[in-house]
Amino acid sequence: MVKCRRCLVEEASVWIPYAKLHLCKKCFSEFTIKRVRETVEKYRMFGSTDKVAVAVSGGKDSAVLLYTLKKAFPDVRFTAFHVNLGIEKYSEDCLKKAEALTKMLNLELFIYDLKREKGFTIDDFKHTRFKRRICSVCGTIKRQVFNEVSEKIGVNVLATGHNLDDMVEIMFSNFLAGDFEQLSRLKPVIPPFHPKLVKKVKPLFRIPENETALYAFFNNIPVREEECPHVKGSRLIERKRLLELFSKENPNFKYQLLSVFLKKLIPILEEREKEKAFTVCEVCGFPSSTNICGACRRIMELKSVLGKV
Ligand code: AMP
Ligand code: FES
Ligand code: ZN
């Protein structure tokens, strides 16, 4: 039996390769909370006077985010919100799990229902030319909704559950697509560059995905069982598998890649983005590089198609 390196009593259940640590369940949970606390403090994500919204999807990462933030910062007031995307079966499960989680933590849950608020669901994009890229459209719509919700509930910080694997995967795919605008958004802290925006933070960005999964499991955190039907067959899974191969050779690979990216490439990209002029979208009023933002353009296209279906 391998003993936990921290308490030296319990049997170790987790091996943390980059820290070369064997930990028991309890010490692993403490280790995770400590890393979340350190990340928030080191990157000055928020303080006790901030109002922080936590985007809870029903999945493990954002559930672990809300759970660990509440434990690490008992004096901060967090407002949890969930967006019901209207994806058949999947969204019902997500909503149930988000409700169960907030009930468990004794927090209120603000629910934004896409169909009720905007008159369409993410599934409706099946009828458009985006039918094979629903995940990407969904991401654009969610970003817009997150801005709206943050304004509605009156917070100045918005936290999302992106983990280390997400960061590296998004970095990788935007890099391959040459999408430097998206790449420059991939920072642990995005300060608001317009009065209608809030500060966006990713407190789990240094935590690998397998650790958020283990944390959720060890702490009996309610998480969705369904997989989003639109993810199946997407290139995301394939890219994640590739990254795993590299990580097997070098356990620090993902973190090293992200560090170089954040330290060396982001400052260059930021300079480039600064020179770009932005305006506000004529439809939603949020900052945009074009007269009508990407989300509003896609929604307009969907509505014109739905009118014909
Ligand atoms: P994703 O874009 O699905 O990888 O999700 C990234 C993060 O966005 C999650 O960790 C959540 O914090 C947030 N998020 C995604 N989907 C939702 C949702 N339906 N409602 C609220 N937050 C969400
Ligand atoms: Fe957006 Fe799956 S959650 S497409
Ligand atoms: Zn718009």
Side-chain angles (χ1 to χ4, degrees), residues 245-260:
L245 274 177
F246 287 114
S247 301
K248 274 216 176 86
E249 293 291 318
N250 171 5
N252 262 327
F253 172 74
K254 290 176 200 157
Y255 195 63
Q256 281 169 352
L257 204 63
L258 189 67
S259 299
V260 173

Side-chain angles (χ1 to χ4, degrees), residues 291-303:
N291 288 350
I292 300 181
C293 75
C296 289
R297 261 185 282 135
R298 283 162 180 76
I299 295 171
M300 283 157 84
E301 197 171 326
L302 171 70
K303 290 203 167 161

Side-chain angles (χ1 to χ4, degrees), residues 8-110:
L8 308 172
V9 179
E10 298 294 325
E11 183 178 353
S13 302
V14 190
W15 164 240
I16 313 279
Y18 54 88
K20 297 198 171 61
L21 272 180
H22 280 289
L23 296 175
C24 69
K25 289 179 190 169
K26 188 165 170 279
C27 292
F28 168 69
S29 291
E30 282 164 12
F31 169 84
T32 308
I33 293 169
K34 189 163 166 262
R35 285 199 89 201
V36 172
R37 191 186 301 117
E38 281 170 358
T39 307
V40 169
E41 288 170 354
K42 180 173 174 194
Y43 291 85
R44 296 166 197 255
M45 293 186 168
F46 56 79
S48 55
T49 54
D50 287 309
K51 289 184 190 160
V52 185
V54 182
V56 174
S57 67
K60 64 183 182 340
D61 302 311
S62 53
V64 169
L65 173 70
L66 185 64
Y67 193 96
T68 52
L69 283 181
K70 183 118 196 290
K71 286 202 181 289
F73 300 96
D75 300 332
V76 176
R77 259 193 57 201
F78 297 105
T79 307
F81 77 86
H82 173 74
V83 182
N84 184 346
L85 300 164
I87 299 170
E88 206 184 336
K89 277 204 206 142
Y90 173 73
S91 289
E92 288 148 34
D93 186 25
C94 290
L95 174 61
K96 268 193 208 139
K97 297 299 160 32
E99 283 175 331
L101 171 73
T102 44
K103 197 168 169 211
M104 180 181 186
L105 295 173
N106 213 2
L107 283 171
E108 250 182 78
L109 178 68
F110 178 93

Side-chain angles (χ1 to χ4, degrees), residues 196-262:
K196 268 180 87 71
L197 297 178
V198 299
K199 183 179 184 180
K200 300 197 174 102
V201 301
K202 304 178 183 73
L204 302 187
F205 87 98
R206 298 196 301 162
I207 302 189
E209 184 158 321
N210 62 333
E211 288 180 31
T212 61
L214 278 177
Y215 188 94
F217 180 65
F218 290 160
N219 292 282
N220 288 318
I221 297 178
V223 294
R224 64 173 160 77
E225 280 127 39
E226 301 267 341
E227 189 60 74
C228 172
H230 302 304
V231 163
K232 275 182 206 140
S234 86
R235 282 204 214 130
L236 189 134
I237 312 246
E238 199 182 303
R239 285 191 298 256
K240 282 205 166 168
R241 218 177 20 234
L242 259 179
L243 290 169
E244 271 331 295
L245 274 177
F246 287 114
S247 301
K248 274 216 176 86
E249 293 291 318
N250 171 5
N252 262 327
F253 172 74
K254 290 176 200 157
Y255 195 63
Q256 281 169 352
L257 204 63
L258 189 67
S259 299
V260 173
F261 172 73
L262 295 178

